[in-house]
Amino acid sequence: NSILVRVYDKYSRLKNLLEGADLQVLDESIDDTLLDLANYCIMELIERSVESDSKSVESLANHAAMSLIEINTDKTLEDLE
């Protein structure tokens, strides 16, 4: 399952960053790594939704996009309307 590989890679990266290890990628921050983890999880949810056809992909993608906007801007959907 590729999601496990991707999440574990980012988990390991986050652990190293939090423990103060030398940066292997100079412009990757803890926040970048956390957002990458969130994105991988969202992509997995979309993939699972498509496979099970339980929700429309558009609805799930919109919800995921709005969640990321809220995370990145501290704004809610109501604030953006």
Side-chain angles (χ1 to χ4, degrees):
N1 212 339
S2 64
I3 184 66
L4 295 176
V5 173
R6 299 292 173 246
V7 168
Y8 180 76
D9 288 345
K10 286 300 172 178
Y11 162 79
S12 296
R13 180 76 182 126
L14 179 61
K15 185 175 183 239
N16 286 335
L17 288 170
L18 291 172
E19 291 174 349
D22 290 336
L23 295 176
Q24 295 173 354
V25 179
L26 295 178
D27 63 345
E28 184 173 8
S29 68
I30 291 171
D31 289 349
D32 291 333
T33 303
L34 290 170
L35 286 171
D36 288 346
L37 271 168
N39 285 326
Y40 283 133
C41 292
I42 290 167
M43 288 186 286
E44 178 65 14
L45 285 170
I46 291 170
E47 181 65 28
R48 292 167 59 85
S49 174
V50 169
E51 288 174 1
S52 69
D53 201 30
S54 62
K55 293 183 181 178
S56 78
V57 174
E58 183 178 346
S59 172
L60 189 54
N62 285 340
H63 179 73
M66 294 314 305
S67 295
L68 287 175
I69 288 170
E70 289 176 18
I71 289 168
N72 287 312
T73 64
D74 294 327
K75 294 187 184 297
T76 65
L77 178 58
E78 292 80 26
D79 295 334
L80 298 172
E81 292 179 339

